[in-house]
Structure formats: structure tokens, C-alpha cells
Amino acid sequence: MRPQDILLPAPAGLCCKPGGFHIDPVRPVERAVITHGHSDHARPGHGAVLATQETLDMMRLRYGDNFASSTQAIGYGEELRLGDVTVKFHPAGHVLGSAQVAVCCKDTCIVASGDYKDAADPTCAPFEAVPCDVFITEATFGLPVFRHGDAVGEVKKLLASVALFPERAHLVGAYSLGKAQRVIALLRLAGYDAPVYLHGAMEAITRYYQTCGVALGDLRPVKGMKKADLAGTITLAPPSATSDIWTRRFPDPVTAFASGWMRVRARARQRGVELPLVISDHADWDGLTATIEASGAGEVWVTHGQEDALVHWCKARGLAARPLDLVGYGDEEESEAAPAAEGDAT
């Protein structure tokens, strides 16, 4: 069976006609298969939703109990028959509950990876390479300039700044799902055991991580704290809050931002970031290319990001490759803006 007979780009997203579902649809559909909880992939209003339990829980936290007409949880390694295809979920290493979806029909297997990273992350299941005929990869950081390096080293930079400026507060911009919890976990692994403070928009999802057994230590809401008492502390907030009037509650704050985009100095300057931290929840160039090779796929479809460079890299190695040109997906910086705005305005 031809791959395009199994999965095909459509206005609502990747459509599996023989299975009767869409993967990460950008508009309401009858049946949706969701890879993870970021709001550019997990939207409300679908009929039936199939996802990991963690992703379903994230959607409930964000959209309320009635975000879909019906839901079904699926675990990693679990196989399910949908119409004429089978689907199987595998860890994507992106955020808690994130999954790659293997869609198989007859003798053809396509893996839709969603967003993923192959770097170590103490807050979610590690990425798993899945052998397939066709691999659908993101390309958020699909240029050779993007090599993220070691997140542990970036956290050491943050702790060194805290030690150097004990009279200042450190305000770290981080996406509220995945990135914030990873930064906190890395701080704990580095031996930082002081309380970490949270913007109101961070609290529900971070507490949920803790209920799932992710060790994050002493977490406290920043709301209600006296300005003087925040000297020498670390606070996690959505990126949009770090350039907001909200920051006036902190004593001479050092503004940091944890993102793969901080590899680009111009981006850091543009945002007024004093302490850029190159910590990404997406695969970098080396991670993307290594994952494509590990999949063993003879054909690669590239979506949302720097598609052209990765397509060129694949073709230079004899792989069939093409961009999918799907719309509606992007960096979480934009998709996470709503939770930031809805958090406490104090």
C-alpha cells in the first residue's frame, strides 16, 4: 500500500482515511489522535480523542472536562485497531505523556513523531526510535546552526548567576508545560534545594507533574510574596510574563529564558533576555538527523519548521523526502501565550 493512501495532509491536519481519524488536527474533527498536550497540537472541540492518559489530563486542565465528546487513553506499546489500520504509541521524549504514533496498514508502517527530542529529560519517558517505512519528523530546529548542547551546563549557568547576584531575583521564562518542569528537575539534580517560585499560570500543570511522581522539590506560589523576600530566589514564569508589568514585584530581576532559540543571540537581545539558557524540548539538528537514520525509513516527510534544509539533507543521502507544508503548528512560545495571560496578574 502506498504511504499516501494511509496518511495524507488535509486542511484539518494529517488525515488517515482508512482509519477514520486525524493526527493532531488543527480544527474540530470526528476522531482525533493527539501526540501531546501543547496547545498547537492538542485543541478542544473534537468528537472522540485518543491519547495517553497524561495528555488527556493536560487537556482537561487547560480546556475543562468537556474538551471532547469522548476520550480514550492508550499506553506506550499498546496497539489498537482503528478501521483498517493499527496504531501504536511510543515515547517521544518531548513532554510528559508525549507520543509518536505508528500507523500500520498491511505491510507499510508510518511513524508520525509529533514533537520530540532525543536528549535526556528527568520529567518524561525517554525517546524511543521506532523502525518504519516512512518517518514524519518535525523540523523546529532543522538547521545545522542549532546544536543545543548540554542542558545541565545551562542550569549551572543559572545557579552561578544566582550565587553572583544574591541581591537580585532570577526570573526564568519557560513554557508552562514541559520546559518549566524540566528546568526545576535539573535544578534539583544540580543540588539546588531552596524553594522554587511559580507564576500562577504554572501551578496546575506543575502540581500535576508531581502527582505523576516527578520529583520537583519545594514549590511555592510567588503570589503574596514580599518583594524583599524574593532576593536570591528563582521564579519560573511563562515567557510573556517576563516582559510584563508583573516583573515589578521582583527586586532588580535577572531575566532568563530557557529555549532552543536562545542559541541565536539576536533573539535574546530582541527579547531583552539578560541570561539566555539554551534548553530545548525539541531535537536539535544532530538529534533530527540521528533520529531519521535510526528509524531506518526510506522516505521522510518533514513538517513545521526549517523543512527545506532537512529535506535537502535526506535527499543527499538517497532518501525520498518532501515537506508536508502543514499549517497551524509552531513553537510553543505562541501556543503557550494564552495560559500566561490567564495566570495571576499580580
Side-chain angles (χ1 to χ4, degrees), residues 129-327:
V130 184
C132 56
D133 301 295
V134 180
F135 185 63
I136 303 176
T137 180
E138 60 144 314
T140 302
F141 293 105
L143 288 173
V145 68
F146 289 113
R147 288 180 164 91
H148 297 325
D150 182 16
V152 171
E154 297 299 292
V155 165
K156 287 181 179 177
K157 281 169 48 179
L158 171 60
L159 291 176
S161 182
V162 172
L164 187 63
F165 301 110
E167 75 284 1
R168 303 177 69 183
H170 279 69
L171 186 57
V172 183
Y175 309 135
S176 61
L177 167 53
K179 184 69 62 63
Q181 296 78 27
R182 185 182 180 200
V183 169
I184 296 168
L186 288 171
L187 283 167
R188 299 313 187 195
L189 289 174
Y192 185 79
D193 58 4
V196 172
Y197 293 88
L198 300 176
H199 181 284
M202 297 286 192
E203 292 182 33
I205 290 175
T206 304
R207 301 294 182 193
Y208 174 75
Y209 264 68
Q210 290 182 302
T211 66
C212 292
V214 179
L216 299 176
D218 186 357
L219 304 177
R220 302 181 187 181
V222 74
K223 186 175 183 179
M225 290 291 296
K226 294 180 180 178
K227 187 172 184 175
D229 293 338
L230 291 170
T233 63
I234 297 174
T235 297
L236 274 289
S240 60
T242 61
S243 57
D244 189 76
I245 192 173
W246 179 81
T247 62
R248 293 180 183 176
R249 66 168 55 235
F250 298 93
D252 191 17
V254 175
T255 301
F257 184 26
S259 171
W261 296 114
M262 292 298 97
R263 178 63 67 197
V264 182
R265 293 181 182 273
R267 284 231 184 185
R269 288 195 299 268
Q270 184 181 34
R271 298 186 66 105
V273 175
E274 185 174 348
L275 182 63
L277 303 173
V278 185
I279 302 174
S280 178
D281 285 337
H282 296 264
D284 64 3
W285 175 259
D286 292 334
L288 292 168
T289 55
T291 299
I292 290 170
E293 290 180 331
S295 74
E299 187 169 345
V300 179
W301 299 350
V302 186
T303 183
H304 62 290
Q306 305 291 337
E307 298 174 350
D308 292 346
L310 204 53
V311 167
H312 176 77
W313 181 91
C314 290
K315 288 182 175 179
R317 281 150 185 79
L319 303 176
R322 66 185 180 101
L324 283 187
D325 297 321
L326 293 173
V327 298

Side-chain angles (χ1 to χ4, degrees), residues 57-120:
D57 290 343
M58 300 291 183
M59 294 180 76
R60 286 192 183 90
L61 282 174
R62 291 189 148 175
Y63 303 128
D65 291 337
N66 300 317
F67 68 87
S69 298
S70 66
T71 63
Q72 182 177 354
I74 183 171
Y76 294 136
E78 187 177 344
E79 194 170 274
L80 189 66
R81 187 82 181 177
L82 293 177
D84 295 329
V85 306
T86 60
V87 299
K88 192 173 182 179
F89 275 39
H90 301 268
H94 180 55
V95 298
L96 185 64
S98 62
Q100 307 171 79
V101 182
V103 182
C104 300
C105 187
K106 297 182 179 178
D107 59 351
T108 301
C109 181
I110 304 175
V111 169
S113 60
D115 290 337
Y116 66 92
K117 71 173 181 294
D118 58 345

